[in-house]
Amino acid sequence: DIQMTQSPSSLSASVGDRVTITCRASQAISNYLAWFQQKPGKAPKSLIYAASSLQSGVPSKFSGSGSGTDFTLTISSLQPEDFATYYCQHYRNYPLAFGGGTKVE
Amino acid sequence: EVQLVESGGGLVQPGGSLRLSCAASGFTFSDHYMDWVRQAPGKGLEWVGRIRNKANSYTTEYAASVKGRFTISGDDSKNSLYLQMNSLNTEDTAIYYCARASLKTGHWSFDLWGRGTLVTVSS
């Protein structure tokens, strides 16, 4: 099974900061990688698929990059509504798997 | 409105069964794969399983932790997804989300989530 490891597990940032979150797959997954945002008490929201493609309606301050085993999610200028937990997920094969999450606070 | 609404959660004793439902609206249910994802209290997201669409013969996939105990099914005529959960144990306590997967540029990725339903397994 493919394992997903996110770093850091949490980070402290301020409004206006550029934030980068890293996700590493235990084996190559090409670009079968998605990113999700989850706020406390809410359902996850899909941000990015295919490692770098924005889901419909997602603002361009979010960007994703990477291929193979190493991926990043970048928030170009952190806004108050962006404080949340972010998860990566591979869908290269089964079982699908999520990273452990990165809490941005 | 495009949405997914889960129902059927509740308190169940260890060893018991429960059936969750997910009602879809605002889109063509049969065009999509549908998944269940769960989240234990204070923990991260865990994929539970998937059912493919009619074009892919409604085949299913499951996480090892639930295989043989959980069954995913769907009803295109009712735009509904189901999760039959048997032999429940305390580790199955979680919020259960249904999620829609859409095909974009060759990628079946999640693009819509329900609000979730809480399942508590306790004596």
Side-chain angles (χ1 to χ4, degrees):
Chain A
D1 296 357
I2 298 172
Q3 315 298 323
M4 307 300 294
T5 302
Q6 286 183 236
S7 61
S9 57
S10 67
L11 66 89
S12 180
S14 300
V15 171
D17 284 353
R18 180 182 181 88
V19 170
T20 298
I21 298 168
T22 298
C23 178
R24 175 165 288 176
S26 61
Q27 57 186 271
I29 58 170
S30 184
N31 65 339
Y32 291 89
L33 192 283
W35 289 97
F36 305 92
Q37 175 194 65
Q38 187 178 35
K39 297 179 180 179
K42 300 295 186 181
K45 174 186 176 182
S46 300
L47 297 177
I48 286 171
Y49 69 98
S52 61
S53 297
L54 289 180
Q55 291 283 3
S56 177
V58 174
S60 59
K61 61 182 172 182
F62 293 97
S63 63
S65 65
S67 183
T69 61
D70 294 319
F71 303 86
T72 58
L73 172 70
T74 300
I75 308 171
S76 59
S77 178
L78 196 68
Q79 296 303 303
E81 64 270 21
D82 302 328
F83 290 93
T85 299
Y86 293 85
Y87 294 92
C88 63
Q89 178 225 5
H90 91 80
Y91 50 95
R92 175 63 180 86
N93 55 21
Y94 298 98
L96 311 186
F98 293 88
T102 297
K103 186 174 183 179
V104 177
E105 53 191 355
Chain B
E1 181 184 2
V2 176
Q3 64 178 354
L4 299 169
V5 179
E6 302 91 337
S7 60
L11 176 64
V12 60
Q13 292 188 338
S17 298
L18 205 60
R19 189 194 196 208
L20 305 183
S21 299
C22 171
S25 58
F27 63 95
T28 304
F29 185 74
S30 57
D31 285 347
H32 300 270
Y33 293 180
M34 297 297 297
D35 291 60
W36 289 97
V37 175
R38 68 185 180 181
Q39 186 169 36
K43 302 297 184 181
L45 301 171
E46 179 188 13
W47 177 74
V48 172
R50 162 172 286 177
I51 185 165
R52 297 180 182 86
N53 56 10
K54 181 179 180 180
N56 290 279
S57 305
Y58 301 120
T59 51
T60 54
E61 305 284 348
Y62 296 96
S65 58
V66 306
K67 195 169 186 178
R69 300 188 299 123
F70 289 11
T71 301
I72 297 174
S73 60
D75 187 333
D76 289 350
S77 67
K78 295 182 178 179
N79 290 335
S80 291
L81 174 72
Y82 306 102
L83 179 65
Q84 177 67 43
M85 303 185 294
N86 299 330
S87 302
L88 286 161
N89 58 62
T90 56
E91 294 175 348
D92 296 316
T93 294
I95 297 172
Y96 284 74
Y97 297 100
C98 66
R100 183 184 77 176
S102 298
L103 181 61
K104 300 175 184 177
T105 60
H107 289 249
W108 283 101
S109 63
F110 297 153
D111 64 351
L112 181 67
W113 296 71
R115 293 183 178 181
T117 187
L118 177 62
V119 173
T120 302
V121 183
S122 175
S123 55

